[in-house]
Amino acid sequence: MDTKVDTGIAQGDRNAIAEGLGRVLADTYTLYLKTHNYHWNVTGPQFRALHLMFEEQYRELWAATDEIAERIRALGYYAPGTYAEYAKLTSIQEDNGVPSADQMVANLVKGHETVVKTARDLFQLADEAKDEVSADLMVQRMDASEKTAWMLRSMIE
């Protein structure tokens, strides 16, 4: 869908940015779901620390999904919103079974690094199209995921 949007960003650029935002949304939502799953299912000596940390992280990711989806809408497109769409768009692998606590942490590090890469790719496009709002949103996502990856990495190093 493309409605009449005239904010100074060319239609082709808006379309490409919206598609990129869809990939960032899919990665973020998939990472949210994985993190929430780990919150529910973590076990072991670090249970309490990880349970609480995963909750902080999934809440932040949940809020981010709304910001990303609303940016897609502001550009004049519909945001993807089904598991099937996310499965096609995401770069994050689902788990088979319940991993160990250390593997959960390692998986989340990889997931956050994936979000950073997806956001970084879109940042370049948004910046070139002079879409400062989308570029800024990608900076926020990169910052949040880089910091979270660092904190998670510190738990298993």
Side-chain angles (χ1 to χ4, degrees):
M1 172 202 90
D2 183 34
T3 59
K4 284 197 167 226
V5 174
D6 185 16
T7 60
I9 303 169
Q11 179 182 349
D13 289 337
R14 281 188 299 107
N15 183 57
I17 293 165
E19 287 178 4
L21 285 165
R23 288 187 295 279
V24 174
L25 178 60
D27 281 355
T28 303
Y29 189 88
T30 303
L31 186 57
Y32 153 77
L33 191 59
K34 182 179 284 219
T35 306
H36 209 154
N37 175 32
Y38 291 174
H39 166 76
W40 291 326
N41 292 306
V42 68
T43 59
Q46 297 183 69
F47 168 77
R48 181 155 174 76
L50 290 175
H51 181 75
L52 294 173
M53 183 171 61
F54 293 162
E55 182 174 4
E56 290 173 6
Q57 292 171 2
Y58 80 68
R59 287 178 185 272
E60 192 281 329
L61 289 162
W62 180 253
T65 62
D66 199 51
E67 292 179 34
I68 298 162
E70 288 179 356
R71 182 64 191 150
I72 294 168
R73 294 297 295 133
L75 290 170
Y77 295 88
Y78 288 116
T82 67
Y83 292 120
E85 288 174 296
Y86 292 151
K88 289 180 200 172
L89 294 170
T90 191
S91 302
I92 295 175
Q93 298 297 312
E94 289 188 348
D95 295 318
N96 292 318
V98 178
S100 68
D102 283 348
Q103 190 60 56
M104 287 177 179
V105 173
N107 291 350
L108 293 179
V109 168
K110 185 175 180 182
H112 279 280
E113 289 173 344
T114 298
V115 168
V116 171
K117 292 175 195 171
T118 304
R120 192 174 311 283
D121 287 344
L122 179 56
F123 172 84
Q124 183 75 23
L125 175 64
D127 190 50
E128 289 171 5
K130 299 192 184 323
D131 179 358
E132 293 85 356
V133 176
S134 295
D136 181 61
L137 183 56
M138 293 307 95
V139 169
Q140 292 173 42
R141 298 312 324 137
M142 289 185 289
D143 180 51
S145 279
E146 284 180 352
K147 184 175 181 181
T148 300
W150 157 60
M151 289 183 175
L152 288 162
R153 206 177 295 108
S154 296
M155 302 262 324
I156 55 174
E157 284 182 343

